[in-house]
Amino acid sequence: MAHTISQKMARAAYERIAARKPDREFASFARSFPSLIHACGLAQAVAFARAKQRDEYLKDIAAVLMAAGHDEVATPETLEEACRKSCVPAYVRLSRNALQAAGWIKRYVEASQPE
């Protein structure tokens, strides 16, 4: 049975978060990153995460994006480069998938946090 891109992303996000057991700081950033993409765009959101030294979070985003077929974004550095150098249709696709990836990470982070 073939899996959808969303199912592949969900599995990759779950595996990353289950292996990590995120702390409060990571969880807070994971909760806010999807809205940051909405407000500023993916390129600025990634640049902000890099400036705040959130490379662990960006590694998770890159891993989930790779599961969705974005082989060009294996690391935070290549994700940032892809944001800057992609043509408009590729950037839009990457942005939509990154928003979806961030949403999956956010869901699993919230599920893993104690009340």
Side-chain angles (χ1 to χ4, degrees), residues 16 20 54-64 74-76:
R16 297 294 293 203
R20 163 167 288 137
R54 301 290 185 193
D55 282 350
E56 288 303 313
Y57 180 79
L58 291 178
K59 286 177 186 175
D60 292 342
I61 291 287
V64 175
T75 64

Side-chain angles (χ1 to χ4, degrees), residues 35-80:
S35 61
L36 189 61
I37 294 173
H38 268 294
C40 303
L42 180 61
Q44 268 191 302
V46 169
F48 177 78
R50 300 262 304 155
K52 294 292 185 180
Q53 299 175 349
R54 301 290 185 193
D55 282 350
E56 288 303 313
Y57 180 79
L58 291 178
K59 286 177 186 175
D60 292 342
I61 291 287
V64 175
L65 286 171
M66 283 186 63
H70 289 279
D71 295 330
E72 73 277 11
V73 294
T75 64
E77 294 82 14
T78 57
L79 175 58
E80 187 175 32

Side-chain angles (χ1 to χ4, degrees), residues 62-106:
V64 175
L65 286 171
M66 283 186 63
H70 289 279
D71 295 330
E72 73 277 11
V73 294
T75 64
E77 294 82 14
T78 57
L79 175 58
E80 187 175 32
E81 184 177 335
C83 290
R84 286 186 280 116
K85 295 186 177 180
S86 295
C87 61
V88 173
Y91 177 76
V92 170
R93 179 177 174 260
L94 182 61
S95 294
R96 286 181 182 165
N97 286 343
L99 185 59
Q100 192 175 10
W104 280 114
I105 290 172
K106 176 183 172 181

